[in-house]
Amino acid sequence: MVEFKYSRIFLLGFGFFGISIIWALYNAYVPIFLQDTFHLSKTVTGFIMTIDNLFAVLLLPFLGALSDMTRTRLGRRKPYILLGAPSAAIMFALIPISRMYENLALFMGTIVFMNFFMALFRSPVVAFMPDITPSEKRSQANGIINFMGGLGALLAYFGGKVLYDMNYAYPFYMGAAIMLLANLLVVLFVPEPEEYRVPGKKLNIRKLLAETSHKSFGELKENLKDVFASHEKSLLAILLAIFLWFIAFNSLETFFTSYAKYYLGIEESTGAFMLGLFSLSFMIFAIPAGFIGARVGRRRTITLGLIIIIGILLGAYLVGEGQKPESSSLSDPVVMTFMGLFFVGGLGWAMVNVNSLPMVVDMTTEEKLGGYTGLYYFFSQAANLVAPPLAGAFLDVIGYRTLIPFSIAFFILAAIAMQFVRRGDIVRRRGEVLDYVPDMD
């Protein structure tokens, strides 16, 4: 094990920082390109926006297990970062260039390759943190990682607006350059544990791929059996809740800039800026949300967070159905109201997001921690696979006014599902740490 240092975790956080910049810009502006330049329907746009989620569901468990079994002189994570990050950066920078030619096949090829290369190194970056962090420090390290990811999203939304207003290509060039530099810092300054660095090691690629396929997908299959075969349904309930609230959130994230442009009548960069307020408050409140969950219980904290989000979305719907903004200025009263509501919504999202993964992994043994983490990401990414085309179909049939009610409906269903969770919680009572029990209410 490499000696633990918080400075190294901050440096590793730059990997998440760069990844967050790319996804924030991608989700904010690519749907606009697909509709404005190529005149695609919202349903088709939604399907295209699931490519990253399709790669995530199919490849992330496999690539995580593959990097687990890799041994090179650089270690087991860095080879994938060195291959994936530069390739993804190049493809990301080519997105606005391919748009200029107005050739859908060229544009689609660019984003498919960009998504593939992002998937290639995303899972190894995620797995890098536990490699260099002892068990008792992982919560603190995860807080730092989330902070850095939130910082990246903020830079994308706020800095991206300024650059986009100058030229729509500039945010993509900036995002590619920063992501490449950020991951270069990880490769250069974050050492992998010595046991994974094997000089002169030759890989049997065919054997490694076969063993990895058996390990990753076989383990996922066994864990999915646990979900549905168990007599006690807490694990199924929370995974269902996770699936539902990520459908709600991803639908909003994918189509809000389109909603801002085509329904509210303001610039898409202003819509992206509004989403930035959501990310800002999430980043600020991420660490306190973990303390609240430990103090009053994770289920209660998640439920309260969902209630907050539902409340602010109801408010946003009423604002959007009322007087439309007179301009795209951030000082417009309607725009300011949306920003204030989204800032509060980010607090609720932190309460939900920070406490959900610990609930899932606390329902199993130490030996299955990795597998249950995989379950969490499987259900969240599956939701992200379903959300854009489903929401897009509603928008095509009824119109953009359905976006926020669509999201609210799934957040409500998630809140209902959470009420059937009876395990995975830790609460403090009279100074003692107790497992969650059904009658604690």
Side-chain angles (χ1 to χ4, degrees):
M1 171 69 73
V2 174
E3 180 188 0
F4 176 77
K5 293 181 180 178
Y6 280 109
S7 58
R8 285 203 180 112
I9 300 301
F10 272 106
L11 283 169
L12 178 58
F14 276 101
F16 295 82
F17 175 84
I19 290 171
S20 295
I21 286 176
I22 294 294
W23 289 128
L25 292 171
Y26 181 84
N27 287 326
Y29 298 119
V30 169
I32 299 292
F33 295 172
L34 291 169
Q35 294 172 81
D36 268 6
T37 304
F38 302 105
H39 310 294
L40 299 181
S41 71
K42 303 167 193 68
T43 305
V44 174
T45 298
F47 272 111
I48 292 172
M49 292 302 292
T50 66
I51 292 173
D52 61 316
N53 309 120
L54 180 62
F55 278 129
V57 170
L58 295 178
L59 293 181
L60 289 190
F62 174 78
L63 290 167
L66 183 65
S67 69
D68 282 346
M69 301 174 70
T70 299
R71 299 292 184 273
T72 71
R73 69 182 178 85
L74 292 173
R76 59 179 182 170
R77 314 297 185 194
K78 290 183 181 180
Y80 300 94
I81 300 173
L82 283 171
L83 178 60
S87 303
I90 292 169
M91 290 295 111
F92 190 70
L94 288 175
I95 287 176
I97 296 173
S98 64
R99 181 200 184 190
M100 286 192 301
Y101 289 97
E102 298 187 9
N103 184 311
L104 182 59
L106 177 64
F107 188 80
M108 287 299 302
T110 304
I111 65 173
V112 166
F113 277 107
M114 172 254 168
N115 277 282
F116 171 76
F117 288 122
M118 287 294 290
L120 187 63
F121 79 99
R122 185 165 57 166
S123 192
V125 169
V126 171
F128 206 155
M129 186 274 283
D131 285 351
I132 61 173
T133 308
S135 178
E136 66 274 11
K137 296 287 187 180
R138 285 176 186 167
S139 292
Q140 298 93 315
N142 198 43
I144 294 170
I145 294 298
N146 275 290
F147 175 84
M148 293 296 288
L151 198 60
L154 279 183
L155 180 61
Y157 288 130
F158 295 161
K161 171 178 168 50
V162 176
L163 293 174
Y164 190 91
D165 289 343
M166 295 167 59
N167 186 302
Y168 70 82
Y170 288 172
F172 290 84
Y173 301 155
M174 176 202 75
I178 292 176
M179 194 266 282
L180 188 58
L181 178 60
N183 282 279
L184 182 62
L185 291 174
V186 173
V187 171
L188 291 177
F189 298 111
V190 184
E192 293 206 36
E194 189 66 37
E195 61 264 33
Y196 304 135
R197 288 180 276 160
V198 183
K201 175 77 172 179
K202 291 185 178 180
L203 297 177
N204 185 331
I205 299 296
R206 179 178 293 181
K207 181 180 178 183
L208 181 62
L209 291 175
E211 290 177 352
T212 302
S213 297
H214 176 76
K215 177 183 176 183
S216 60
F217 296 111
E219 188 176 86
L220 177 61
K221 182 180 177 181
E222 290 302 313
N223 288 330
L224 284 172
K225 283 183 181 178
D226 289 348
V227 173
F228 294 100
S230 173
H231 293 295
E232 207 284 323
K233 299 301 182 184
S234 288
L235 180 59
L236 177 60
I238 191 169
L239 290 173
L240 178 61
I242 288 165
F243 179 77
L244 292 167
W245 73 54
F246 272 108
I247 287 179
F249 181 79
N250 190 260
S251 300
L252 202 63
E253 185 181 43
T254 300
F255 285 109
F256 186 78
T257 51
S258 301
Y259 169 86
K261 180 174 184 177
Y262 301 121
Y263 191 69
L264 296 181
I266 59 178
E267 294 173 358
E268 57 266 38
S269 60
T270 301
F273 191 93
M274 292 178 188
L275 288 177
L277 270 297
F278 208 95
S279 296
L280 173 62
S281 59
F282 174 85
M283 183 187 72
I284 292 171
F285 204 62
I287 294 175
F291 282 101
I292 292 172
R295 183 67 181 174
V296 305
R298 293 169 183 159
R299 192 194 73 166
R300 284 177 174 155
T301 303
I302 290 172
T303 301
L304 178 58
L306 290 169
I307 291 170
I308 290 172
I309 296 170
I310 292 164
I312 69 100
L313 287 179
L314 282 171
Y317 174 74
L318 294 175
V319 171
E321 291 300 299
Q323 182 180 358
K324 294 294 186 285
E326 295 181 1
S327 72
S328 294
S329 169
L330 298 179
S331 61
D332 182 274
V334 177
V335 173
M336 290 183 68
T337 302
F338 265 99
M339 290 194 297
L341 288 168
F342 278 13
F343 185 87
V344 177
L347 306 184
W349 186 235
M351 296 169 76
V352 172
N353 223 24
V354 168
N355 289 288
S356 53
L357 178 59
M359 284 201 82
V360 173
V361 297
D362 277 354
M363 291 184 188
T364 188
T365 61
E366 288 289 330
E367 291 77 16
K368 288 191 172 184
L369 284 178
Y372 273 52
T373 301
L375 282 177
Y376 172 88
Y377 284 106
F378 179 83
F379 276 82
S380 62
Q381 293 298 333
N384 293 341
L385 193 61
V386 170
L390 183 60
F394 271 81
L395 300 184
D396 272 331
V397 173
I398 307 176
Y400 276 107
R401 68 183 303 173
T402 64
L403 176 63
I404 294 177
F406 178 91
S407 183
I408 290 171
F410 279 92
F411 275 124
I412 290 173
L413 291 173
I416 294 170
M418 276 304 301
Q419 307 319 301
F420 295 92
V421 178
R422 291 291 181 269
R423 291 190 296 124
D425 211 337
I426 299 292
V427 296
R428 296 183 182 276
R429 186 182 298 164
R430 296 188 183 93
E432 296 180 296
V433 178
L434 305 170
D435 285 324
Y436 180 83
V437 292
D439 62 353
M440 69 170 285
D441 293 324

